[in-house]
């Protein structure tokens, strides 16, 4: 029985050594691929970005301003743009009051 356990132990040891060797070879291969592609091994943490989308800018314009009621049906693209600009101004004002520095811009997608 002890001979059987010794054989199994040797087999598991050899299998573990094979797995460690495979991991080391894969690391070498990945390092070589990164070097050949000129990709640095050190990576930066991703930058966090907050995205804001007004769900119904036309309804908001109609609800909040007199000119929005007039323009919303005739010039919807311009109305959306004006709503986003006004939301951005209000957010910027609020954040300035709280001394929070931000970079704000509108992206068109």
């Amino acid at each position: 029985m002890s001979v059987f356990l010794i054989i199994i132990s040797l087999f598991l040891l050899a299998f573990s050594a094979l797995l460690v060797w495979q991991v080391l070879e894969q690391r070498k291969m990945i390092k070589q691929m990164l070097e050949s592609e000129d990709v640095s091994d050190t990576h930066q943490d991703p930058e966090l970005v907050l995205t804001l989308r007004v769900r119904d800018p036309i309804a908001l314009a109609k609800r909040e301003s007199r000119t929005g009621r007039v323009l919303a049906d005739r010039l919807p693209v311009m109305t959306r743009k004006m709503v986003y600009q006004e939301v951005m101004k209000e957010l910027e004002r609020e954040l300035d009051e709280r001394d929070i520095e931000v970079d704000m811009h509108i992206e068109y997608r």
Side-chain angles (χ1 to χ4, degrees):
M1 182 69 175
S2 64
V3 173
F4 178 71
L5 290 176
I6 290 174
I7 292 172
I8 294 293
S9 298
L10 291 175
F11 175 74
L12 289 175
L13 180 66
F15 187 70
S16 298
L18 177 69
L19 289 177
V20 168
W21 178 73
Q22 286 290 328
V23 168
L24 293 175
E25 288 297 314
Q26 284 180 350
R27 284 186 182 174
K28 283 184 198 175
M29 188 172 27
I30 290 171
K31 188 175 181 181
Q32 289 173 352
M33 289 173 63
L34 289 175
E35 287 174 357
S36 69
E37 296 291 326
D38 292 332
V39 178
S40 65
D41 194 21
T42 60
H43 63 282
Q44 295 177 347
D45 290 336
E47 182 177 321
L48 299 174
V49 177
L50 177 66
T51 302
L52 176 94
R53 191 186 89 167
V54 179
R55 289 191 179 168
D56 194 358
I58 302 296
L60 179 63
K62 287 180 179 179
R63 187 182 73 215
E64 294 292 324
S65 79
R66 199 174 307 161
T67 56
R69 288 184 206 106
V70 175
L71 292 177
D73 295 327
R74 292 182 181 87
L75 301 168
V77 175
M78 183 177 160
T79 304
R80 282 187 190 101
K81 184 177 179 181
M82 290 172 63
V83 165
Y84 274 95
Q85 288 172 345
E86 189 61 33
V87 167
M88 195 166 97
K89 285 178 194 173
E90 288 184 26
L91 280 172
E92 195 168 18
R93 246 184 268 127
E94 180 68 30
L95 292 171
D96 280 344
E97 286 176 11
R98 299 180 67 191
D99 292 331
I100 299 173
E101 294 181 20
V102 296
D103 296 324
M104 293 176 56
H105 63 281
I106 297 175
E107 289 182 18
Y108 296 97
R109 294 184 186 180

